Amino acid sequence: MVDTTKNTLMYTTWGTKTAKPVNPNVAAKLISKAKKPLLVAGAEIVDNEQLAQRAIAIGKKGVQIAATGHAITVFHGKGVNAKYINIHALAHYLGDKNWKGLDGQGSYDMIVFLGHKKYYLDQVLSGFKNFSDLKTIAIERHFMQNATLSFGNLRPDVHIEALDEFIENL
Amino acid sequence: MSKISTGHFSIEDLENVQITIGKIVGAIEEKVAEEIDMGPTPKPSVSALRDWDHQLLTRYQPVYTPQCDQCCYCTFGKCDLGGNKEGACGINLAAHQSREFLLRVITGAAAHSGHGRHLLHYLIERHGRDHPLDVGPSNLLAPNVQMVTGIKPKTLGDLEAAIEYVEEQLTQLLATVHMGQEGAAIDFESKAMHGGMLDHVGMEISDLAQMSCMGMPKSDPEAPLAEIGMGCIDATKPMLLVIGHNVAGVANMIDYMHENDLSDKIELGGLCCTAIDMIRYQMDKGGQPYAKVVGTLAKELKMIRSGIPDVIVVDEQCVRADVLDEAKRLSIPVITCNEKIMYGLRNRSKDKADNIIEDLVSGKEAGALILDLDLLGEVAPRLVMKVAPLRKEKGIKALPSDEELTALAGKCVHCGACELVCPNNLPIMDAMKACVEGDLTKFESLHDHCVACGRCDQACPKDIPVLDVIEKASQKAISQEKGLIRSGRGQISDPEIRQEGVNLVMGTTPGIIALVGCSNYPEGTKDLYKLAEEMLKRNYIMLTSGCSAMDLGMYKDEDGKTLYERYPAKFLGGNLINVGSCVSNSHITGTAIKVAAIFAQRNITGNYEEIADYIMNRIGAVGVAWGAYSQKAGSIATGCNRLGIPVVVGPHGSKYRRALIGKPYEEEHWKLYDARNGEDLPIPASPEFLLTTVETVEELMPMLAKNCIRPSDNNMGRMIKLTHYIELSQKYLGQMPDDWHRFVRTETDLPLAKREELLKILEKDHGWEIDWKRKKILSGPRMKSDVSAQPTNLKRLCKGEC
């Protein structure tokens, strides 16, 4: 079992409320319990085969995917439910209770993030943290302090191991 | 004899006085003419355009992404506003974020306007108030100034009233940042837009003044090419490095060097917009710049640490705060010449040149503050000629040797501290490991992504000078950094607008993409080149300025040609136009205003709202500040936004704390009035944002094509724009865009080559009714195609309303 809660070192603080470090199995269980989870997969997966495989595997478990940047190129023909959307627009729509979601079937109650630039995602998460009730889980290689729950800072190989454990428990 | 040009006066006990009446009659006529064509909002106050702003902000709602959840503005605090709580003064996080954004905007606007004020003051002293403005073959000399203030400047002196207005308004805006007071985020947003608008006036004043007095190219598509890149610097010559944004001092150095036969003896290089403007200086009558552009702020620390400069002169704005400390370590004297940067140095403005030079050559003082720019013009070149041989003699060592490089990399314990503090979280640990094994390629790759902030140096627990390691390991790559940049040509001229305006409004030229702003790119400089090349091939007009203009010149094609050599610089589709430095960004908004004035014959004088409304609905222009980091870039973007021009920033732009994004799924926000009859006019959701971030350049390209779509496009124009949107989406995202059908009004909007295929999709996937015999759409589109429609946001402009 990978411990992803050890290193939660931050470069700067945002405020008084920071993410709770979470282990892969716990994160997976929370997502499994959610009514309508959404994986937001960022463009960092495009040139990272290891991450791309894990993002596809999460999609294959039935989690809908919002592909931001040009991450959608990874999901074509892979049999997952993925749609392109700009991440800043997505953040805006997710905060709107009237938004019907990517599939027109209603919005989401648990948002999972993988494959994003640290500084960019923490900004997006800061919007969620302060202006919405959404629960967010970052399964990134870095500790995302503005998420509700986040993996700690991990070495790339440990991160992949953690993702595998996360997928197993979905 | 005394002259009184304007004003009231009374003379009592008149005796032996001759009074000559000169231009009184003409002046009255002029005044009357001005009053007749004056629009409703000359010199608008903070609230004068509030209704317009609120209208924009209803469709494009602020999206806040705080950098900090707390407020530390006053001694009530610190207040934790997390979760949108209220602080002790009553402000909540949303309002505080909009206040923070306002502060960024007015900081940027003040930087440009302060620059403008300094230049104007200096140039009036040299050339007089009556010096005519000369910007090229145009009658509309100052579109931003005229539209905002109602003033039609003809001379340097005429610009004074305009800059005074900007200064007064900036003071009013700054006052609103004080604790408490404003509690509505939307009104801070409106104020931010006011600040952005003022910024474009301030920038225009700066550039008009310098273009008119300093012999800069004037709407010249043949403006010369200059060398750019760290690799083009001749390190064998004494090197004078200038950094900043205000060319006034450098111009004097160039003059002195020319007069004293030093031009070919000194290597003059520049960073940031001072560099851009020094290659414009005295280039309006032909000639070839001998000064070289080193590059953007991202090259600043690297250039200093290379040890090549023998003297550094800094003026203002994008200049690192530690130039003096860095230079001191390498025995490089630093001269500051502007009150914005004084680095604690002794003011030598009234000293003799010989005394200053002696103190700096001997090392008695590390630098000098010289505010007298004539004195600076003499001291800097003379100083560099004296310091260079001494530095060579001393054998000043800058970067580590090859052996030291390996040893330094070997000291790394791979703790990850540098990666955590790196703005781009670059994989420095991997590169260190590879370096120990003699593989420098990873560092070479990092070099282009590294913005040379130096935070890694500060964080390393082993005191490894990480930036020096990156720079040393990348010497081969740096030596190959040699490109060409076209010197800034200034405004788009009136005749050019007459020629191209119709294509822009009808959409047959698919759009204007303005690549502006700084160098904090997410994935290095090459993305910018990739973007420009793709859009130029597709016949978009590419306007560029400042740091973006520099980085575009850094890459060559297989034939060894830069984009500036491959694409001409006229205001036509498929042309690449460098308008100039940071302050030349005003010519980009100026171009849009000119289209309204010249092509559409709208009265622009003091008529902001109507012109912004025209631009928003008819001119397919999008700004891109891919590496934006400065407050100035935020301010420029906000000025574009108030004028209805959307702007995209790269991922780092999320740290501006707020975006303005529309919701295409809320149909009530996507309709205008038809000015012919006041009826509702549904429009496509484009632009779908006023300010947003984009993650990658691959995502950016289709997004740009989509957001150039405007309600005024004719069928040919819409077909062209839709073709590019679909093709770019297929090329970079591997799919048809999900929303392409929303932009179709009639079958003639569809790309010709794919018409049948797309009609089938419209029928099958979207339930549209198609007459297959005539290949016509019978029902389905939300909008009608009507080229005579007059889209407007403003009810007052509709027939029967006034």
Side-chain angles (χ1 to χ4, degrees):
Chain A
M1 201 176 107
V2 186
D3 185 351
T4 53
T5 63
K6 275 183 190 162
N7 179 355
T8 55
L9 192 68
M10 295 181 285
Y11 168 53
T12 51
T13 61
W14 250 261
T16 56
K17 191 176 165 190
T18 52
K20 286 194 180 107
V22 67
N23 274 319
N25 58 340
V26 179
K29 274 175 197 154
L30 287 168
I31 289 157
S32 302
K33 279 185 189 169
K35 284 182 195 150
K36 195 174 179 189
L38 177 71
L39 170 68
V40 185
E44 299 290 295
I45 67 170
V46 176
D47 293 321
N48 187 328
E49 186 55 34
Q50 301 255 53
L51 281 189
Q53 281 174 13
R54 272 70 186 178
I56 293 166
I58 296 168
K60 292 224 181 224
K61 294 270 185 177
V63 180
Q64 203 180 132
I65 300 171
T68 66
H70 62 301
I72 191 71
T73 53
V74 164
F75 299 112
H76 292 312
K78 295 292 190 299
V80 294
N81 181 8
K83 279 205 167 189
Y84 158 74
I85 188 164
N86 169 265
I87 194 167
H88 220 137
L90 174 67
H92 187 33
Y93 306 163
L94 280 169
D96 178 3
K97 291 193 166 56
N98 296 320
W99 187 49
K100 300 283 183 233
L102 291 166
D103 55 2
Q105 304 297 309
S107 201
Y108 307 88
D109 60 343
M110 177 72 78
I111 321 293
V112 191
F113 293 90
L114 177 65
H116 300 273
K117 292 181 185 304
K118 176 177 161 52
Y119 63 87
Y120 192 28
L121 180 57
D122 240 341
Q123 285 302 122
V124 173
L125 290 168
S126 143
F128 288 134
K129 182 178 83 173
N130 286 300
F131 301 106
S132 82
D133 301 326
L134 285 165
K135 301 287 174 234
T136 57
I137 302 184
I139 52 171
E140 303 279 2
R141 189 166 86 74
H142 294 284
F143 181 59
M144 308 304 299
Q145 66 203 63
N146 286 325
T148 314
L149 300 163
S150 173
F151 284 178
N153 297 304
L154 304 169
R155 288 206 320 264
D157 54 329
V158 178
H159 182 223
I160 296 299
E161 218 180 306
L163 287 176
D164 287 340
E165 191 181 324
F166 170 82
I167 293 160
E168 258 175 47
N169 283 279
L170 268 182
Chain B
M1 184 180 165
S2 64
K3 273 188 178 178
I4 303 169
S5 55
T6 56
H8 302 276
F9 56 94
S10 61
I11 303 167
E12 289 171 11
D13 304 325
L14 201 64
E15 271 183 36
N16 298 324
V17 176
Q18 183 187 331
I19 300 174
T20 307
I21 299 174
K23 288 172 65 183
I24 290 179
V25 174
I28 289 171
E29 281 169 350
E30 213 169 278
K31 186 81 185 157
V32 169
E34 268 175 24
E35 279 168 9
I36 288 170
D37 70 1
M38 186 61 77
T41 55
K43 295 189 180 174
S45 67
V46 171
S47 65
L49 296 165
R50 182 172 178 257
D51 288 348
W52 171 250
D53 298 334
H54 280 222
Q55 204 166 355
L56 293 179
L57 293 161
T58 303
R59 187 189 295 162
Y60 303 103
Q61 297 150 4
V63 184
Y64 296 114
T65 53
Q67 280 257 58
C68 176
D69 308 342
Q70 301 174 43
C71 175
C72 52
Y73 274 26
C74 74
T75 60
F76 267 148
K78 262 189 173 181
C79 292
D80 174 19
L81 309 181
N84 206 21
K85 288 196 286 288
E86 282 184 10
C89 74
I91 201 163
N92 63 22
L93 187 57
H96 179 57
Q97 287 312 295
S98 50
R99 178 168 64 169
E100 286 273 18
F101 188 81
L102 165 65
L103 191 55
R104 308 297 149 231
V105 168
I106 57 178
T107 304
H112 287 138
S113 304
H115 176 186
R117 168 59 83 179
H118 178 269
L119 270 178
L120 193 58
H121 183 80
Y122 173 73
L123 293 172
I124 283 176
E125 237 176 45
R126 294 203 140 197
H127 301 273
R129 282 194 168 75
D130 294 334
H131 186 86
L133 295 183
D134 179 8
V135 296
S138 291
N139 291 321
L140 181 44
L141 303 181
N144 273 287
V145 169
Q146 189 173 330
M147 176 185 64
V148 175
T149 67
I151 298 166
K152 296 176 185 171
K154 293 188 181 70
T155 64
L156 278 186
D158 293 342
L159 294 174
E160 283 185 305
I163 199 83
E164 277 162 19
Y165 160 72
V166 171
E167 289 162 345
E168 190 263 341
Q169 289 297 299
L170 285 176
T171 307
Q172 297 295 344
L173 289 175
L174 184 57
T176 70
V177 176
H178 188 273
M179 60 78 63
Q181 304 188 105
E182 185 65 83
I186 194 167
D187 275 315
F188 273 125
E189 295 295 348
S190 169
K191 286 164 185 146
M193 290 209 170
H194 195 62
M197 176 195 75
L198 298 172
D199 188 26
H200 286 256
V201 177
M203 289 192 293
E204 191 169 82
I205 291 168
S206 302
D207 213 34
L208 295 190
Q210 64 180 7
M211 283 173 67
S212 302
C213 299
M214 298 180 127
M216 293 180 174
K218 296 168 177 53
S219 302
D220 179 8
E222 304 295 331
L225 295 164
E227 287 183 70
I228 180 168
M230 282 177 78
C232 71
I233 298 299
D234 181 354
T236 62
K237 287 185 187 175
M239 198 219 167
L240 178 54
L241 178 68
V242 295
I243 312 176
H245 279 252
N246 191 327
V247 78
V250 188
N252 284 355
M253 295 177 215
I254 291 175
D255 289 347
Y256 184 89
M257 284 159 62
H258 180 68
E259 285 155 15
N260 292 276
D261 209 17
L262 290 170
S263 304
D264 60 347
K265 295 185 179 72
I266 294 174
E267 184 75 343
L268 178 62
L271 286 151
C272 274
C273 284
T274 295
I276 291 245
D277 281 340
M278 77 183 181
I279 59 164
R280 295 168 81 192
Y281 181 58
Q282 302 298 10
M283 286 297 141
D284 62 344
K285 294 183 180 66
Q288 181 61 39
Y290 64 84
K292 292 171 183 173
V293 181
V294 177
T296 66
L297 180 71
K299 306 289 181 196
E300 211 166 300
L301 202 47
K302 285 181 181 168
M303 190 63 207
I304 297 170
R305 290 202 180 175
S306 73
I308 294 170
D310 293 299
V311 172
I312 298 174
V313 177
V314 302
D315 49 79
E316 61 174 290
Q317 298 169 58
C318 301
V319 182
R320 288 184 61 91
D322 59 355
V323 167
L324 181 64
D325 297 331
E326 288 284 341
K328 223 190 271 183
R329 293 195 298 134
L330 297 169
S331 305
I332 307 169
V334 173
I335 301 175
T336 64
C337 61
N338 190 295
E339 287 168 339
K340 295 183 189 76
I341 306 174
M342 297 190 274
Y343 288 151
L345 293 166
R346 188 151 70 98
N347 189 350
R348 311 295 298 269
S349 306
K350 292 199 168 120
D351 286 0
K352 288 201 168 95
D354 288 341
N355 295 345
I356 302 169
I357 292 168
E358 193 184 318
D359 287 349
L360 298 186
V361 169
S362 66
K364 188 176 160 196
E365 296 193 31
L369 166 65
I370 304 177
L371 297 171
D372 178 333
L373 299 185
D374 288 323
L375 182 62
L376 171 76
E378 179 189 347
V379 168
R382 283 183 56 198
L383 180 64
V384 79
M385 291 301 287
K386 287 208 165 188
V387 168
L390 290 176
R391 287 185 77 244
K392 200 163 270 180
E393 204 175 287
K394 279 191 202 164
I396 304 282
K397 188 172 161 301
L399 297 173
S401 66
D402 291 344
E403 296 74 31
E404 286 167 335
L405 175 70
T406 316
L408 283 170
K411 273 173 70 178
C412 175
V413 291
H414 314 118
C415 66
C418 51
E419 293 189 6
L420 190 66
V421 302
C422 173
N424 283 322
N425 302 119
L426 294 175
I428 299 168
M429 290 188 294
D430 274 358
M432 287 283 188
K433 279 180 203 162
C435 181
V436 172
E437 287 154 18
D439 174 11
L440 301 182
T441 55
K442 291 199 172 175
F443 269 129
E444 282 179 343
S445 155
L446 281 191
H447 162 69
D448 186 49
H449 291 65
C450 165
V451 293
C453 68
R455 290 206 309 226
C456 45
D457 285 10
Q458 307 281 323
C460 181
K462 292 288 175 186
D463 293 327
I464 300 171
V466 182
L467 187 65
D468 286 3
V469 169
I470 297 173
E471 186 169 358
K472 174 64 187 176
S474 311
Q475 284 299 293
K476 193 175 145 203
I478 290 170
S479 68
Q480 288 163 359
E481 285 180 356
K482 293 177 185 175
L484 289 172
I485 175 174
R486 189 171 298 286
S487 144
R489 54 160 278 178
Q491 276 189 355
I492 307 304
S493 70
D494 295 3
E496 288 178 294
I497 300 285
R498 268 180 214 110
Q499 191 182 350
E500 187 63 4
V502 64
N503 294 324
L504 277 171
V505 173
M506 297 300 158
T508 43
T509 292
I512 300 174
I513 307 294
L515 281 180
V516 302
C518 339
S519 52
N520 199 13
Y521 310 116
E523 298 289 344
T525 52
K526 187 125 197 207
D527 275 352
L528 214 60
Y529 174 86
K530 193 172 164 184
L531 166 67
E533 190 179 39
E534 178 72 67
M535 302 314 264
L536 282 165
K537 278 183 192 163
R538 290 178 179 275
N539 208 36
Y540 286 80
I541 299 174
M542 301 294 299
L543 298 177
T544 188
S545 65
C547 289
S548 293
M550 294 185 196
D551 283 327
L552 281 183
M554 293 300 298
Y555 291 93
K556 294 172 182 167
D557 66 0
E558 288 161 358
D559 301 326
K561 291 200 166 167
T562 61
L563 288 175
Y564 290 110
E565 294 164 283
R566 287 163 59 195
Y567 292 95
K570 292 179 180 162
F571 187 64
L572 293 170
N575 276 237
L576 172 61
I577 299 164
N578 175 16
V579 289
S581 59
C582 216
V583 291
S584 310
N585 281 308
S586 56
H587 304 321
I588 296 175
T589 43
T591 302
I593 299 164
K594 280 189 168 198
V595 172
I598 295 166
F599 170 71
Q601 293 290 303
R602 299 280 180 122
N603 173 28
I604 67 161
T605 313
N607 198 13
Y608 191 93
E609 193 181 51
E610 183 180 335
I611 299 308
D613 179 60
Y614 179 89
I615 291 169
M616 181 166 209
N617 297 320
R618 289 174 175 81
I619 301 175
V622 185
V624 179
W626 194 234
Y629 54 59
S630 75
Q631 291 95 335
K632 291 183 294 171
S635 176
I636 294 167
T638 309
C640 290
N641 291 169
R642 195 182 221 188
L643 209 48
I645 300 171
V647 176
V648 181
V649 289
H652 280 292
S654 59
K655 288 175 267 180
Y656 282 123
R657 304 164 173 82
R658 84 103 166 86
L660 296 174
I661 301 175
K663 292 174 179 167
Y665 56 88
E666 287 184 343
E667 287 197 353
E668 69 270 22
H669 288 141
W670 303 98
K671 56 187 179 190
L672 303 171
Y673 302 110
D674 187 341
R676 294 174 303 179
N677 48 29
E679 286 176 6
D680 279 357
L681 188 68
I683 55 161
S686 175
E688 61 185 357
F689 55 83
L690 282 181
L691 184 73
T692 194
T693 62
V694 167
E695 201 167 326
T696 63
V697 77
E698 290 82 2
E699 181 188 11
L700 176 61
M701 287 191 256
M703 192 182 246
L704 290 178
K706 174 163 78 167
N707 283 282
C708 281
I709 291 173
R710 291 293 177 276
S712 66
D713 298 337
N714 67 13
N715 296 122
M716 176 71 82
R718 183 63 58 87
M719 181 180 76
I720 290 169
K721 292 182 181 187
L722 210 46
T723 302
H724 292 308
Y725 178 37
I726 291 171
E727 284 182 4
L728 286 164
S729 184
Q730 287 176 323
K731 184 171 177 182
Y732 291 102
L733 300 179
Q735 64 174 31
M736 282 285 284
D738 290 338
D739 58 353
W740 65 270
H741 62 286
R742 292 179 189 274
F743 302 100
V744 179
R745 301 163 298 185
T746 173
E747 59 284 345
T748 45
D749 284 348
L750 294 168
L752 206 55
K754 293 184 177 175
R755 191 166 287 170
E756 195 158 334
E757 179 194 338
L758 295 177
L759 284 171
K760 280 181 192 165
I761 298 172
L762 288 171
E763 186 181 54
K764 185 169 169 278
D765 294 352
H766 303 288
W768 290 21
E769 207 181 337
I770 312 291
D771 175 348
W772 282 105
K773 253 188 200 165
R774 292 186 299 154
K775 295 205 169 79
K776 277 183 80 73
I777 295 170
L778 298 177
S779 71
R782 188 175 156 260
M783 296 156 288
K784 284 188 294 187
S785 172
D786 180 357
V787 285
S788 308
Q790 297 291 321
T792 178
N793 291 281
L794 305 170
K795 190 78 175 164
R796 69 175 170 85
L797 295 184
C798 296
K799 199 172 174 188
E801 288 291 325
C802 310

